[in-house]
Amino acid sequence: MTFAFPWFSDGGHVRSVLPPMPPHGRRGMRRRGAAALMAFACGVMAPVYAQNASPSPDGARSVNEWLTRMHEASRQRAYIGTLVVSAGAAMSASKIWHVCDGTQQMERVDTLTGAPRTTIRRNKEVITFVPEAKTAFVEKRESLGMFPELLGKPGNQIAQFYSAREVGVQRVAGHLADMVEILPRDELRFGYRIWSEQQTGLVVKLQTLGDQGAVLEQVAFSELQLDAPVSMEKLKRLMRDTRGYEVHKPLLRKTTPEAEGWRLGESVPGFMPMSCHTREATSAGAPAPGMAPMQWVFSDGLASVSLFVEPFDAQRHTQESSAVVGATHSVNRRVGDHWLTVLGEVPTATLRRFAMALERTR
């Protein structure tokens, strides 16, 4: 689920909406799906200003009211917790320290399974440390105009494509939580079952739902300490300390699909274009215009879809295919002299609509 989760890096369980290169294969897909779920629970977002948040006539919260409450919770609390992410037989876990002083958000995420990774974020600034390779990846990541920015805009379309209903109360990691289902109104997107801590609204568990309510992916706190003593100054010091690490900074350039020679011949209902970037060459041999790898991001306010376009390589791009890992789906196809990978936490049919609509304009 991508409630506009922009802050998770490709180098572990935390990933970015703008990875350095298009993901290839199941390994890259797995990183995206689980991490997107993690990000909402961590509240890794820019400020949201609730609009149309007055109570509904029947007393039930609307989908926008639920989402606003959940996001605001992350901005009011410091916490420490362990998140466990599962999809089928696969499982991963991370330790999270989160703090916000009202204007700045910071957090640290340490992987507890797989290769060691430490990711520290301060607002848009993110650094991922890879101890085994003694490398650090530094990025500045934009919120891409997705939730909660879309949520705060008058006339946002989230309620046109999703509904919300409260279904009960359960305990998660020792905390009572309201259970709410956010259900799609069409077949182009998935649904979600969310556990929101009763007193604060903080998300403590989240499931992505497929056909007939099947759980595709789940993230949940196994332990959670609210109002924890998390030091923002200590996190700042850790973020700056790159001694002994080789630091890498991806070269991303903001652009437009039109400038790169692309367009969608037909839009996909509910999904709006959010951003477009290309990856710049790190050597003197710059690619020809329109040939640099490009990522074009769309969102309906909750789910996101990325279109990765790169020059066709006969050795790597051998067969058009599709793949599924948890809630993350992927399709790819050749478009003239380019190779397109469409990836997102939406049904495969939705990705195929994007894939078939992409057109070269020059």
Side-chain angles (χ1 to χ4, degrees):
M1 171 185 185
T2 47
F3 280 113
F5 305 144
W7 302 116
F8 283 89
S9 105
D10 282 307
H13 296 283
V14 196
R15 62 97 176 163
S16 167
V17 169
L18 294 172
M21 291 292 288
H24 297 288
R26 296 174 64 88
R27 184 179 178 188
M29 289 177 60
R30 177 70 194 126
R31 288 170 179 162
R32 295 180 62 88
L37 291 170
M38 283 177 56
F40 185 71
C42 294
V44 195
M45 297 294 157
V48 59
Y49 302 95
Q51 306 213 12
N52 304 319
S54 56
S56 303
D58 61 359
R61 292 187 178 103
S62 69
V63 63
N64 282 354
E65 290 163 0
W66 272 110
L67 296 177
T68 299
R69 170 176 164 78
M70 293 170 188
H71 170 68
E72 282 296 305
S74 70
R75 301 181 58 239
Q76 305 298 326
R77 301 280 176 169
Y79 56 84
I80 300 173
T82 300
L83 274 174
V84 178
V85 182
S86 59
M91 187 276 290
S92 61
S94 297
K95 186 83 171 184
I96 296 178
W97 295 258
H98 174 93
V99 63
C100 181
D101 64 5
T103 58
Q104 290 192 87
Q105 289 200 56
M106 290 200 71
E107 66 241 338
R108 171 181 175 176
V109 180
D110 284 1
T111 60
L112 301 179
T113 54
R117 298 286 191 276
T118 295
T119 297
I120 304 174
R121 178 186 71 89
R122 180 176 61 192
N123 297 331
K124 295 181 180 181
E125 300 175 6
V126 184
I127 183 167
T128 299
F129 295 93
V130 185
E132 291 180 344
K134 288 297 180 181
T135 56
F137 299 90
V138 177
E139 298 175 80
K140 284 193 175 182
R141 301 177 186 168
E142 299 179 46
S143 62
L144 306 179
M146 298 189 292
F147 174 85
E149 286 81 358
L150 285 181
L151 181 63
K153 291 182 179 179
N156 80 74
Q157 297 185 355
I158 294 175
Q160 294 183 31
F161 298 99
Y162 296 92
S163 63
R165 69 184 185 99
E166 192 169 349
V167 294
V169 177
Q170 284 189 350
R171 271 168 45 93
V172 178
H175 300 271
L176 282 177
D178 294 318
M179 297 172 58
V180 58
E181 291 183 342
I182 297 180
L183 303 175
R185 298 184 186 274
D186 60 24
E187 297 180 351
L188 295 177
R189 53 211 100 228
F190 291 136
Y192 308 98
R193 185 177 295 123
I194 305 173
W195 285 253
S196 172
E197 200 272 328
Q198 278 195 327
Q199 297 301 315
T200 65
L202 187 72
V203 174
V204 292
K205 181 177 177 180
L206 188 152
Q207 296 175 339
T208 304
L209 308 177
D211 291 340
Q212 301 180 340
V215 177
L216 304 177
E217 202 162 274
Q218 173 177 290
V219 60
F221 280 107
S222 61
E223 59 176 355
L224 175 65
Q225 179 185 357
L226 293 173
D227 299 321
V230 182
S231 168
M232 185 171 287
E233 290 304 315
K234 181 178 179 180
L235 291 181
K236 288 179 181 178
R237 290 195 300 270
L238 292 173
M239 192 173 192
R240 292 192 297 264
D241 188 5
T242 58
R243 290 172 298 176
Y245 281 80
E246 182 180 352
V247 178
H248 298 268
K249 296 183 180 181
L251 302 176
L252 299 176
R253 179 178 65 87
K254 185 178 294 187
T255 184
T256 65
E258 294 77 15
E260 303 304 315
W262 297 98
R263 71 174 183 182
L264 276 191
E266 181 180 353
S267 62
V268 180
F271 287 90
M272 300 173 56
M274 295 290 108
S275 72
C276 185
H277 286 76
T278 59
R279 181 171 178 80
E280 297 295 282
T282 56
S283 63
M291 297 298 287
M294 180 189 81
Q295 181 183 7
W296 191 6
V297 179
F298 292 78
S299 175
D300 67 358
L302 297 186
S304 70
V305 172
S306 287
L307 278 63
F308 299 92
V309 183
E310 58 185 323
F312 177 75
D313 182 339
Q315 292 186 337
R316 288 193 301 116
H317 306 140
T318 57
Q319 184 177 359
E320 295 185 359
S321 62
S322 62
V324 178
V325 178
T328 305
H329 293 223
S330 173
V331 301
N332 53 54
R333 65 183 290 255
R334 184 174 179 176
V335 184
D337 294 330
H338 293 79
W339 187 256
L340 168 66
T341 300
V342 188
L343 185 146
E345 287 154 338
V346 295
T348 299
T350 306
L351 301 182
R352 293 193 187 281
R353 291 184 64 158
F354 277 100
M356 299 309 297
L358 186 66
E359 299 176 350
R360 190 73 170 143
T361 60
R362 65 182 183 215

